Amino acid sequence: MDIAKSAIVKSAAGRDKGKLFFVLDTEGDFLLLADGKTRKVENPKRKKRKHAVFAMDSDTRVAEKIRSGEKITNSEVRRTLAQLSGDGNPDQEG
């Protein structure tokens, strides 16, 4: 499956291995990823496609905003990823 804009991926390599990210954009063989905490929307992680695994398509409000080009906030991204992964408190450092 090809990874598209607004999909949710899991990092397969690197120090962020196992973490979930939203795909903000695609640039050829690279994905621009954000999780709202360590990688903010303003400064997304540039990661090769082969180092990310497709996790799921999202029909959330954040995914709709990414697809339409609307502005999204880091807290929206954190909250949505926490809900999808089953974490308790998305804004707590840890």
Side-chain angles (χ1 to χ4, degrees):
M1 169 144 218
D2 193 36
I3 300 172
K5 191 174 181 176
S6 82
I8 297 174
V9 296
K10 185 179 274 192
S11 175
R15 70 177 77 183
D16 56 5
K17 184 176 181 179
K19 291 181 69 175
L20 292 177
F21 293 91
F22 266 106
V23 178
L24 300 182
D25 205 358
T26 59
E27 295 178 343
D29 285 341
F30 291 92
L31 304 171
L32 296 178
L33 308 176
D35 66 357
K37 188 175 181 180
T38 56
R39 279 301 177 162
K40 308 281 188 192
V41 173
E42 302 83 27
N43 186 25
K45 169 76 178 157
R46 190 168 181 253
K47 194 168 199 70
K48 284 194 174 186
R49 285 181 188 267
K50 68 180 181 179
H51 295 152
V53 178
F54 178 81
M56 66 184 89
D57 272 327
S58 178
D59 291 332
T60 61
R61 179 73 182 127
V62 174
E64 291 174 21
K65 283 182 162 184
I66 292 171
R67 283 191 290 268
S68 68
E70 291 180 50
K71 183 171 172 49
I72 57 172
T73 64
N74 290 307
S75 60
E76 288 176 317
V77 172
R78 279 194 311 269
R79 194 175 309 114
T80 304
L81 288 176
Q83 289 171 352
L84 294 173
S85 68
D87 288 347
N89 190 348
D91 290 329
Q92 185 173 352
E93 295 288 324

